[in-house]
Amino acid sequence: MTDESGVFLPGNHEAEMCYGGEADLHKHVTGCKKNPGHKGFIPLKDFNANCLPSRYHDDDLMSETIKTLAALTVQVKTKFTSLERPEFYPGTQVPYPCYNDRGSHVMRLGTGRVWSVDKYTESDRWGTCRCAKCQVSATPSKVWGKVSVLTATLVVFDDSEARQTRCVLGFDDNKSPVVSLDGWEVWGVADIEKDSCMLSYVTCDIELVDELYNMCERFIYLCKEVRDKYKYRGFFGVDKLTVILSHPHGCPKQVSVGQLTHKREKDGGYTRYWYTTCTCPGSSGATVYRLRHDRWMYNHPHSGSNSEGNYSGDCV
């Protein structure tokens, strides 16, 4: 949806707001108006190649790529709303999410993805670990790592929100063992217009760092393999497959499968996509995985929905 001058007008954001805390979530699931019954979501434990269009039923490469993306997908929980949130989206009169909640501790849920992992040692000259444990230790770890997570700016706006954000890894079902990481920072500047925010977390848990690093490398490798296999079937070809891994309504990880419908491009190579892939509140920030004929990077977070359908952030 655009105004008369062609400026994009955001619709409904899809962060889940819990004014009554997590006790609200069951009510939100059962009373969901966007997608009653949630028929378009597949619990991760039930996902297999047969859940994809028939042309992929024998494609282990595609299903493995999606399962690897699932392993990198995290639930994002934020318990503070920044005083710096603007009243409107830049250049519009469209209200910006959570402006009226500024300074409050209302819980907001979204989704993110482990984007990259960096490991440092004493020889790298980056100093010792700066995690909360090491900051109060007389012998901070000399080997440590930084975990970066991509989510939506409307989920986590700035450092004041990031410091009270928890990312939950491994929440595949209600019985899954999970790892919770608290106290993040915004890496660089979160971008309102692009609705893209990169969070960073420092830890001396080297086993976790190595595990996530290897998973990121595996995802990069698989994405390149998929791109090369289907390089003539991207957006301008016959295949518009779009898959999203998210935590709708704060639920365990769900897979939704759909297709791209259209896109809009801006100067600088920035693109926003629209798609039929199911989303709900709690899906904001989830990576939009799609076939690409030109690149292998997948850096478009899901943003929201308007009269044209579900749409991504405006990214390269």
Side-chain angles (χ1 to χ4, degrees), residues 185-211:
E185 294 180 347
V186 171
W187 179 24
V189 179
D191 194 302
I192 297 175
E193 186 174 350
K194 298 179 181 64
D195 199 18
S196 177
C197 176
M198 193 72 75
L199 304 175
S200 65
Y201 176 84
V202 173
T203 178
C204 57
D205 183 343
I206 299 305
E207 183 177 346
L208 175 65
V209 169
D210 288 341
E211 179 183 353

Side-chain angles (χ1 to χ4, degrees), residues 68 71-72 114 117 119 147 169-170 177 179 205-219:
T68 305
L72 295 171
V114 177
V117 180
K119 185 175 178 179
V147 179
L169 294 79
V179 175
D205 183 343
I206 299 305
E207 183 177 346
L208 175 65
V209 169
D210 288 341
E211 179 183 353
L212 292 177
Y213 177 85
N214 291 334
M215 193 66 67
C216 286
E217 290 296 296
R218 181 64 178 163
F219 184 60

Side-chain angles (χ1 to χ4, degrees), residues 116-234:
S116 65
V117 180
D118 298 294
K119 185 175 178 179
Y120 303 100
T121 64
E122 188 174 18
S123 62
D124 293 316
R125 299 182 180 180
W126 282 95
T128 56
C129 182
R130 302 188 302 275
C131 73
K133 181 175 71 174
C134 285
Q135 285 184 7
V136 297
S137 171
T139 57
S141 179
K142 296 178 180 179
V143 181
W144 52 283
K146 182 177 76 172
V147 179
S148 300
V149 165
L150 177 68
T151 188
T153 305
L154 62 84
V155 177
V156 181
F157 183 79
D158 61 12
D159 277 339
S160 69
E161 295 185 0
R163 285 191 289 270
Q164 298 192 51
T165 290
R166 168 176 293 179
C167 289
V168 181
L169 294 79
F171 186 25
D172 297 344
D173 59 49
N174 286 318
K175 297 181 180 179
S176 299
V178 301
V179 175
S180 296
L181 306 179
D182 296 279
W184 294 72
E185 294 180 347
V186 171
W187 179 24
V189 179
D191 194 302
I192 297 175
E193 186 174 350
K194 298 179 181 64
D195 199 18
S196 177
C197 176
M198 193 72 75
L199 304 175
S200 65
Y201 176 84
V202 173
T203 178
C204 57
D205 183 343
I206 299 305
E207 183 177 346
L208 175 65
V209 169
D210 288 341
E211 179 183 353
L212 292 177
Y213 177 85
N214 291 334
M215 193 66 67
C216 286
E217 290 296 296
R218 181 64 178 163
F219 184 60
I220 290 170
Y221 168 79
L222 290 169
C223 287
K224 290 179 178 178
E225 292 291 298
V226 169
R227 178 202 61 183
D228 292 343
K229 183 174 182 178
Y230 296 103
K231 61 184 176 182
Y232 298 115
R233 297 171 60 186

